[in-house]
Amino acid sequence: MHASHLPDRIWSECELRCGKDLPPCLDGLICDGWACEQPCDPQGPNTCDDGYRCFQRRPSSPWVCHPDW
């Protein structure tokens, strides 16, 4: 669990790990920064769940749904 900058909210995240020597992500997910994430297209319709936004960590990273903190 990550420290939250929103002290009045509690949240947790289950994460599927990926990368070298780990199993591939499940169908429909992609590996980004050692975690399996839901891909998205910033130019297409919003496919991210409520509270998430389409985000790219760096120019070489894929676009994925990321918590909108």
Side-chain angles (χ1 to χ4, degrees):
M1 184 155 93
H2 305 280
S4 175
H5 67 277
L6 302 172
D8 61 335
R9 294 185 182 180
I10 297 174
W11 64 277
S12 64
E13 180 179 357
C14 293
E15 193 169 76
L16 295 174
R17 305 298 286 161
C18 58
K20 185 179 177 183
D21 299 326
L22 294 171
C25 295
L26 301 174
D27 285 345
L29 299 177
I30 57 173
C31 191
D32 180 37
W34 298 92
C36 295
E37 304 285 356
Q38 178 184 344
C40 58
D41 179 355
Q43 303 301 316
N46 183 12
T47 57
C48 298
D49 293 335
D50 286 342
Y52 287 76
R53 64 184 172 94
C54 199
F55 178 79
Q56 186 182 38
R57 291 183 316 123
R58 55 182 168 261
S60 62
S61 297
W63 287 90
V64 297
C65 295
H66 190 270
D68 190 19
W69 330 310

